[in-house]
Amino acid sequence: MAIDDPVQPAHETEADPATPAAGERGTTWSALRPLVLRIHFYAGLLIAPLLLVAAASGLLYALSFQAEKFLYSNELEVPVGDRSLPVGDQLAAARKAHPEGTVTAVWPSAEAGATTRVLMTTPEVEEGKSLAVFVDPYTAEVRGELASYGSSGALPLRTWLDELHRDLHLGDLGRHYSELAASWLWVVALGGLLLWLGRRRTARRDLLVPERGVKGRRKTLSWHGTVGMWAVLGLVLLSATGLTWSRYAGENIGAVQDQLGGATPVVSAALTEGAGDGGDGHEGHGDGHGGGGSHEGMTGMDIGIDNALAAARQAGIEGRLSVILPSEGSGYVVKETDTQFPVHLDSVAVDPADGRVIDELRFADYPLLAKLTRFGIDAHTGVFLGLANQLALAALAFALIMLTVWGYRMWWLRRPTKERRLSAGRPMPRGAWRKAPVTALLPLAALTALAGWFVPLLGISLLVFLAVDLVLGLVARVRTRTAA
C-alpha cells in the first residue's frame, strides 16, 4: 500500500462515502489518522521507487525456478538408465574432468532422470560460489559445469536475479537499497491497512472487493485498498524475513534470536583425537566402490562416500541429500535438504575411519525460533512449498507493483489543476501530530524510537524525512510572510 490523501483535486468533487464519519472526530483514531496519513503519503512517495525495483526483481526471481529447469535441462536431466553407479564412481568422474578443483560437497541424484551434482572450489569461480559439475548417475558421464550459489543450488540465471534483487549488483553499497525497502515495507503496508479499515463505506464487501460504478481517483483508491487488504499479510512477512539477513537490522535480529536461545544448531563432525588416523596398511584404498581414499587436506583411512551414505541411511537420513566430504580432523556430514513441507532437514556426521555415526541432529529438535526462521527464509526464497511458494511470491510481487502504480496515479490525480497544470498531489497539512492526544502520541513516539533503533535504516531515513519536511515548512512560512 503506497499513498493515500484526503485532499480532493479540483476536477473531482463527487462525494466519497469512504471518508471518515463525522461522528468519529472525537476518537483517538480520528486524531491519529492525519498523522498516519502524512507518514503513509511521504513513505509511499519516496520509498516506492525502491519497492518497485525490489518487487520487479523479486517477480523475475520467483519465475526463474521454472526457467532454470528449461534453460539448463541438459545439465539437470538425463535419460533414465537401468542401474545407478556408485556415487564414488560419479565423484571420481567429476574429479577427473576438473583435477584443479577441490570437492566440497556432493548432491547424489535424488530421483530418476536427475543428475548428481558435485560442488567444487576452483580458481575460476569467484569466492562464495561453487563450480557445480553435473554427472550422469547411470554412466558417470559429465554433462556440464555451471556456477552454483547458496544452499538451494541456484544456477547462473537465478543467482544473477537474486543478486539484482539483493544489491543491484553493487555489492555492499547496493545492500542499502534492499534493506531500506524492507525496513519501510511493513510500515507502509500496516499504515495503509489502518487507513483502509478506518474509512466509512456503504457496503462491507467494499473492504475486500473493488467498488463498481466509480471513476477516477475513487476507482483507483478502491483497487489500491482492496488489493492491499489481500496482500498486506504477505507483504509484512516478506519485510520481516527480508530483514533477517539484512546488514544492520539482521545483526540485531540475530542477536535477539541468540539471546532467546533460537540459534540454528549445527551437527558436529569433529573427530576425537586419534580417530580416522589409525591404519591397517590399507589407507587410501577405499571400499572397492570408487570414491575411497583420502580427500583434500585429509590423511588416514576413508571408508568412501558410498559407505558413508549407507551409514547415514541406516540412521534415517533419506531423500534429497548433501554430503560434505571429510577433511583433517572432521568426518563426513550427510544432510537432508528437502525444504518442501513437511521438511526433511535431519543430518548426521560419520567417522571416515569406520562408518560410525558420531553425531546426529534432528530438525524436530531445533528450537522453535530456529524452525520459524528456517521456514521464513525458505518461504522468502521460494523453496519452502515448491511451485506453490514461487507462484505466491510472484503474485505478491505483482500486487506490490500494482499498489505502487496505483499510489502514484492517485498522487497525480490529486494535483490542483486549477492552480498549476504541472503541479503534483499535496500531502496532509503539517501539524497533524499536534492534534493527537498525548496519551496516544507518547506511546507512538516510544514505539517509533524503538523501531528506529532496532531497524537502523528505518530510523535514519525517518529522521531525514523529518528534517526535509521541517526545512520545507520553514521555507513555506518565509514565503507566506514575504507575500503578506
Side-chain angles (χ1 to χ4, degrees), residues 30 32 60-61 100 106 108 152 180 184 226-228 274 285 288 353 359 366 392 436 441 461:
S30 63
L32 285 177
L60 294 175
Y61 172 82
E100 79 286 357
V106 179
S152 65
L180 195 58
W184 276 98
T226 53
V227 172
H285 292 283
D359 191 25
Y366 277 35
L441 193 59
S461 57

Short mmCIF file of all heavy atoms in Angstrom, two decimals, residues 30 32 60-61 100 106 108 152 180 184 226-228 274 285 288 353 359 366 392 436 441 461:
data_model
loop_
_atom_site.label_atom_id
_atom_site.label_comp_id
_atom_site.label_asym_id
_atom_site.label_seq_id
_atom_site.Cartn_x
_atom_site.Cartn_y
_atom_site.Cartn_z
N SER A 30 -9.43 9.25 14.96
CA SER A 30 -9.65 10.44 14.14
C SER A 30 -8.54 11.47 14.37
O SER A 30 -8.21 12.24 13.48
CB SER A 30 -11.02 11.06 14.45
OG SER A 30 -11.09 11.50 15.79
N LEU A 32 -5.37 10.54 15.28
CA LEU A 32 -4.12 9.97 14.77
C LEU A 32 -4.13 9.81 13.26
O LEU A 32 -3.07 9.76 12.63
CB LEU A 32 -3.86 8.60 15.42
CG LEU A 32 -3.40 8.60 16.87
CD1 LEU A 32 -3.27 7.17 17.38
CD2 LEU A 32 -2.07 9.32 17.01
N LEU A 60 10.77 -11.53 -11.14
CA LEU A 60 11.62 -12.28 -12.06
C LEU A 60 12.31 -13.44 -11.35
O LEU A 60 12.44 -14.54 -11.90
CB LEU A 60 12.67 -11.35 -12.68
CG LEU A 60 12.13 -10.26 -13.61
CD1 LEU A 60 13.25 -9.33 -14.05
CD2 LEU A 60 11.44 -10.88 -14.82
N TYR A 61 12.73 -13.21 -10.09
CA TYR A 61 13.38 -14.28 -9.33
C TYR A 61 12.41 -15.44 -9.10
O TYR A 61 12.78 -16.61 -9.22
CB TYR A 61 13.87 -13.72 -7.99
CG TYR A 61 14.38 -14.79 -7.05
CD1 TYR A 61 15.68 -15.28 -7.16
CD2 TYR A 61 13.56 -15.31 -6.06
CE1 TYR A 61 16.14 -16.27 -6.30
CE2 TYR A 61 14.00 -16.30 -5.20
CZ TYR A 61 15.30 -16.78 -5.32
OH TYR A 61 15.74 -17.77 -4.49
N GLU A 100 41.82 -29.68 -11.13
CA GLU A 100 42.26 -28.48 -10.41
C GLU A 100 41.31 -28.09 -9.30
O GLU A 100 41.64 -27.25 -8.46
CB GLU A 100 42.38 -27.31 -11.41
CG GLU A 100 41.07 -26.62 -11.80
CD GLU A 100 40.20 -27.45 -12.75
OE1 GLU A 100 40.64 -28.54 -13.16
OE2 GLU A 100 39.08 -27.00 -13.09
N VAL A 106 28.81 -33.20 -2.33
CA VAL A 106 28.20 -33.99 -3.39
C VAL A 106 26.71 -34.08 -3.12
O VAL A 106 26.29 -34.37 -1.99
CB VAL A 106 28.81 -35.41 -3.46
CG1 VAL A 106 28.13 -36.22 -4.57
CG2 VAL A 106 30.31 -35.35 -3.68
N PRO A 108 23.92 -36.33 -4.36
CA PRO A 108 23.56 -37.50 -5.17
C PRO A 108 22.20 -37.31 -5.86
O PRO A 108 21.33 -36.58 -5.36
CB PRO A 108 23.50 -38.64 -4.14
CG PRO A 108 24.30 -38.14 -2.97
CD PRO A 108 24.09 -36.67 -2.94
N SER A 152 20.48 -23.71 -1.81
CA SER A 152 19.47 -24.21 -2.73
C SER A 152 20.05 -24.56 -4.09
O SER A 152 19.33 -25.07 -4.96
CB SER A 152 18.35 -23.17 -2.91
OG SER A 152 18.86 -22.00 -3.54
N LEU A 180 16.67 -0.83 2.98
CA LEU A 180 15.80 0.33 3.12
C LEU A 180 14.38 -0.01 2.67
O LEU A 180 13.39 0.36 3.32
CB LEU A 180 16.34 1.50 2.31
CG LEU A 180 15.77 2.90 2.60
CD1 LEU A 180 15.96 3.27 4.06
CD2 LEU A 180 16.44 3.93 1.69
N TRP A 184 10.97 -0.26 5.29
CA TRP A 184 9.76 0.57 5.17
C TRP A 184 8.55 -0.19 4.69
O TRP A 184 7.41 0.29 4.85
CB TRP A 184 10.04 1.73 4.22
CG TRP A 184 10.70 2.89 4.90
CD1 TRP A 184 12.04 3.19 4.91
CD2 TRP A 184 10.07 3.91 5.68
NE1 TRP A 184 12.28 4.31 5.65
CE2 TRP A 184 11.08 4.79 6.13
CE3 TRP A 184 8.76 4.17 6.05
CZ2 TRP A 184 10.81 5.90 6.93
CZ3 TRP A 184 8.47 5.27 6.84
CH2 TRP A 184 9.50 6.12 7.27
N THR A 226 -8.33 -2.55 -1.78
CA THR A 226 -8.75 -3.94 -1.69
C THR A 226 -7.61 -4.90 -2.00
O THR A 226 -7.44 -5.91 -1.31
CB THR A 226 -9.92 -4.20 -2.66
OG1 THR A 226 -9.58 -3.76 -3.98
CG2 THR A 226 -11.17 -3.47 -2.21
N VAL A 227 -6.82 -4.60 -3.02
CA VAL A 227 -5.67 -5.46 -3.31
C VAL A 227 -4.67 -5.41 -2.15
O VAL A 227 -4.11 -6.45 -1.75
CB VAL A 227 -4.99 -5.04 -4.63
CG1 VAL A 227 -3.68 -5.80 -4.83
CG2 VAL A 227 -5.92 -5.29 -5.80
N GLY A 228 -4.46 -4.22 -1.59
CA GLY A 228 -3.58 -4.12 -0.43
C GLY A 228 -4.09 -4.90 0.76
O GLY A 228 -3.32 -5.49 1.52
N GLY A 274 42.87 -39.03 17.49
CA GLY A 274 43.24 -40.37 17.06
C GLY A 274 42.26 -41.02 16.13
O GLY A 274 42.57 -41.99 15.46
N HIS A 285 42.78 -46.97 0.06
CA HIS A 285 42.24 -47.94 -0.89
C HIS A 285 40.72 -47.94 -0.94
O HIS A 285 40.15 -48.57 -1.82
CB HIS A 285 42.74 -49.36 -0.54
CG HIS A 285 44.21 -49.51 -0.77
ND1 HIS A 285 44.75 -49.67 -2.03
CD2 HIS A 285 45.25 -49.51 0.09
CE1 HIS A 285 46.07 -49.77 -1.94
NE2 HIS A 285 46.40 -49.68 -0.65
N GLY A 288 36.29 -50.21 -2.42
CA GLY A 288 36.08 -51.04 -3.58
C GLY A 288 34.98 -50.55 -4.50
O GLY A 288 34.66 -51.21 -5.48
N ALA A 353 36.75 -43.28 9.30
CA ALA A 353 37.59 -44.45 9.53
C ALA A 353 36.79 -45.74 9.59
O ALA A 353 37.23 -46.78 9.07
CB ALA A 353 38.39 -44.27 10.83
N ASP A 359 27.64 -38.08 15.46
CA ASP A 359 26.72 -37.06 15.95
C ASP A 359 25.52 -37.04 15.02
O ASP A 359 25.62 -37.36 13.83
CB ASP A 359 27.38 -35.68 15.98
CG ASP A 359 26.54 -34.65 16.72
OD1 ASP A 359 25.74 -35.06 17.59
OD2 ASP A 359 26.67 -33.45 16.43
N TYR A 366 15.20 -28.79 16.73
CA TYR A 366 15.56 -27.37 16.58
C TYR A 366 14.72 -26.54 17.56
O TYR A 366 13.55 -26.84 17.81
CB TYR A 366 15.24 -26.88 15.16
CG TYR A 366 16.28 -27.17 14.11
CD1 TYR A 366 17.03 -28.34 14.13
CD2 TYR A 366 16.49 -26.29 13.07
CE1 TYR A 366 17.96 -28.61 13.15
CE2 TYR A 366 17.42 -26.55 12.07
CZ TYR A 366 18.15 -27.71 12.12
OH TYR A 366 19.07 -27.98 11.15
N ALA A 392 3.07 -17.91 -5.27
CA ALA A 392 2.63 -16.94 -4.26
C ALA A 392 3.58 -15.73 -4.22
O ALA A 392 3.12 -14.58 -4.11
CB ALA A 392 2.57 -17.61 -2.88
N ALA A 436 -3.05 15.08 17.94
CA ALA A 436 -3.13 13.77 18.58
C ALA A 436 -3.05 13.91 20.09
O ALA A 436 -2.28 14.72 20.61
CB ALA A 436 -2.02 12.87 18.06
N LEU A 441 0.10 9.82 21.66
CA LEU A 441 1.30 10.30 20.98
C LEU A 441 2.58 9.80 21.65
O LEU A 441 3.53 9.40 20.97
CB LEU A 441 1.29 11.82 20.94
CG LEU A 441 2.29 12.49 20.01
CD1 LEU A 441 2.07 12.04 18.57
CD2 LEU A 441 2.19 14.02 20.11
N SER A 461 16.41 7.12 7.92
CA SER A 461 15.63 7.71 6.83
C SER A 461 14.45 8.50 7.37
O SER A 461 14.08 9.53 6.79
CB SER A 461 15.15 6.61 5.87
OG SER A 461 14.39 5.63 6.57
#
